[in-house]
Amino acid sequence: MPARDASSSWLRRARSAAALLRVRELAFTLRRCPFCGITIVLRLRRDELGIRCLRCGASAVHLSLGWTLRRHVPRLHDRDACELSARGPLSRYLRAQARSAALSEYRADLAPGSVRDDVRCEDVQHLTYADASFDLVTHTEVMEHVPDDLRAFTELHRVLRPGGIMLFTVPLRVTEKTLERAMLRNGAVVTLIAPMYHTDPLRGGSGILVFRDYGGDIVARLLAAGFDRAWIQTPPAGAVPWGYGRAVVCAVRA
Ligand SMILES: [Zn+2]
């Protein structure tokens, strides 16, 4: 990473940490981060959003996915990876450790496959990658914002090679059924219940619409999209301190 990018990334992390900080809830502990090794993990406040690796900035979601990656994907240096974001600790780790890393962001105003500011644009419902391009696909907190998730899962299955694995996180209530919050009808968003938005660092403003709250039936959705095996993996106790470990969804193409 060029020095200026590194310093602006550090500054961005420091700003976001300052915004989250509640001084009376601040705590820290020595841990091994799956991306950067022995580190201090900070709790900036008492919720999942307040967890950060001091060295690489990994969140509770990233730490959970990183541990699952280390467990299920040996020999990363022999694998071609696809990650649906172009920034953050997971993207940096894949760029440094995998044989190749195709990183992208979704931009509604750009055609899939086009590039702006060195970042490739991809729509997970219409990927421009060739069939069987990758051994590993990862994404975090994306699929709940995708209107047609079955189409997206089918696309992600298409770009995986036989034997490839997909690891991802979504907000997940394992014991419940998926709750559809919104859908697209003739190209227009129709909300089925009160709309919910998540903030998005790329877009800022009012946030990005949540199309559904996933439940344990996400496994059945993945099998319906063509995956041969899918399961929900809980990271080991201690992988993420203070009990903020996040379930990671895993799916394999045979
Ligand atoms: Zn780290």
Side-chain angles (χ1 to χ4, degrees):
M1 183 185 288
R4 210 178 71 184
D5 282 6
S7 64
S8 71
S9 149
W10 184 90
L11 197 63
R12 199 165 49 233
R13 291 214 300 270
R15 278 205 194 110
S16 93
L20 287 167
L21 179 63
R22 289 185 193 138
V23 173
R24 293 171 68 174
E25 298 175 16
L26 181 64
F28 56 89
T29 179
L30 192 67
R31 293 288 153 134
R32 179 177 287 279
C33 170
F35 304 118
C36 69
I38 295 293
T39 185
I40 304 280
V41 176
L42 292 174
R43 185 187 70 195
L44 297 161
R45 58 198 268 179
R46 267 200 195 92
D47 67 40
E48 183 192 72
L49 291 177
I51 305 301
R52 287 285 182 281
C53 169
L54 187 62
R55 288 176 67 189
C56 75
S59 64
V61 160
H62 284 133
L63 293 171
S64 302
L65 196 131
W67 278 105
T68 311
L69 180 66
R70 290 206 159 232
R71 172 166 178 172
H72 290 295
V73 186
R75 303 186 322 279
L76 189 55
H77 56 275
D78 288 337
R79 314 217 181 231
D80 297 312
C82 170
E83 154 61 32
L84 299 180
S85 74
R87 294 193 291 180
L90 174 59
S91 299
R92 287 197 299 273
Y93 181 74
L94 292 173
R95 197 187 288 129
Q97 301 294 330
R99 180 167 57 199
S100 72
L103 309 175
S104 65
E105 302 278 4
Y106 172 68
R107 297 284 181 126
D109 57 332
L110 292 185
S114 62
V115 175
R116 182 190 285 173
D117 302 332
D118 289 332
V119 176
R120 181 172 176 141
C121 169
E122 289 290 343
D123 177 347
V124 67
Q125 300 164 112
H126 309 276
L127 293 171
T128 65
Y129 301 120
D131 294 359
S133 293
F134 306 111
D135 308 294
L136 168 70
V137 167
T138 58
H139 42 100
T140 54
E141 315 299 274
V142 170
M143 295 303 295
E144 71 271 25
H145 303 294
V146 174
D148 188 345
D149 67 331
L150 179 61
R151 166 136 199 172
F153 285 142
T154 305
E155 276 290 87
L156 292 164
H157 176 269
R158 177 183 69 76
V159 301
L160 264 184
R161 295 184 180 127
I165 188 167
M166 173 165 74
L167 306 175
F168 68 99
T169 66
V170 286
L172 186 61
R173 298 174 302 179
V174 175
T175 57
E176 302 196 19
K177 276 190 68 179
T178 296
L179 173 69
E180 300 290 345
R181 294 182 156 273
M183 60 183 294
L184 276 191
R185 195 179 287 151
N186 301 323
V189 173
V190 179
T191 52
L192 306 171
I193 54 176
M196 180 193 271
Y197 298 88
H198 290 165
T199 54
D200 180 338
L202 285 183
R203 290 164 189 83
S206 60
I208 175 167
L209 182 67
V210 176
F211 276 82
R212 67 196 68 78
D213 299 338
Y214 281 105
D217 56 325
I218 193 167
V219 167
R221 287 175 177 240
L222 289 159
L223 299 179
F227 285 92
D228 298 274
R229 219 153 48 85
W231 68 98
I232 295 168
Q233 179 83 52
T234 308
V240 185
W242 302 291
Y244 290 114
R246 195 54 119 65
V248 175
V249 187
C250 313
V252 168
R253 177 174 184 173

